[in-house]
Amino acid sequence: MSVASEHASPQPVSTPTSPASRLVPALVHGQRIFVECPSWCIVDHVKLHTGAVEDITHWSEGAGMQVLTMLDPRAAHSDLFARVNSDPAHGDPRMRAAHVLVGNESAVDAFLTPDMADELAADLVAFAAAVRRAARTARRANEASGVEVPA
């Protein structure tokens, strides 16, 4: 049985406009349809079914990091992630285009153009250098005062 024959009635199918996309099944209002999906998208649009086709969004694998605190090493103080995102039915063309989503579980997400993401990455490299400088300063201060800090 082919996937297309599983439909009770034929669904309109768009032709992918780019070799970087493919047609994938999606579940909308309990009915299987096919949608154009970017090659970087990891969403199972059947398992993550929606109530409307305009609610279908695409996202990639994400990169993430956690900031832990010494006061409770089992709990993350902050989770931060970044991934490629696209919302094909959004009114803003920048949101329809592939963009970078940066967020955490407790804050509003930031939506970045590729240029903005490059600027953020440069800022993060500078921030990482500042964190290393702060760690060296704290380490030297502890050594100078004879304070032993467990790892």
Side-chain angles (χ1 to χ4, degrees), residues 48-136:
L48 189 67
H49 56 87
T50 63
V53 70
E54 58 270 13
D55 293 334
I56 294 173
T57 59
H58 306 284
W59 63 81
S60 71
E61 291 276 345
M65 62 177 277
Q66 293 183 326
V67 178
L68 303 177
T69 175
M70 66 182 175
L71 299 178
D72 185 359
R74 295 167 291 144
H77 179 69
S78 180
D79 290 323
L80 186 64
F81 69 89
R83 69 178 186 225
V84 178
N85 207 66
S86 174
D87 186 348
H90 201 280
D92 186 328
R94 297 170 300 175
M95 293 293 287
R96 290 192 303 264
H99 57 276
V100 178
L101 184 144
V102 176
N104 66 29
E105 294 178 7
S106 62
V108 176
D109 295 330
F111 301 93
L112 311 175
T113 65
D115 289 343
M116 292 170 71
D118 282 338
E119 289 176 27
L120 174 63
D123 291 346
L124 289 170
V125 169
F127 180 70
V131 170
R132 284 197 173 111
R133 284 192 303 274
R136 283 192 301 271

Side-chain angles (χ1 to χ4, degrees), residues 9-40:
S9 61
Q11 296 295 316
V13 175
S14 65
T15 303
T17 58
S18 163
S21 65
R22 67 221 190 265
L23 290 177
V24 299
L27 199 58
V28 177
H29 284 298
Q31 181 153 5
R32 187 180 295 250
I33 64 169
F34 285 88
V35 297
E36 187 173 346
C37 188
S39 60
W40 47 261

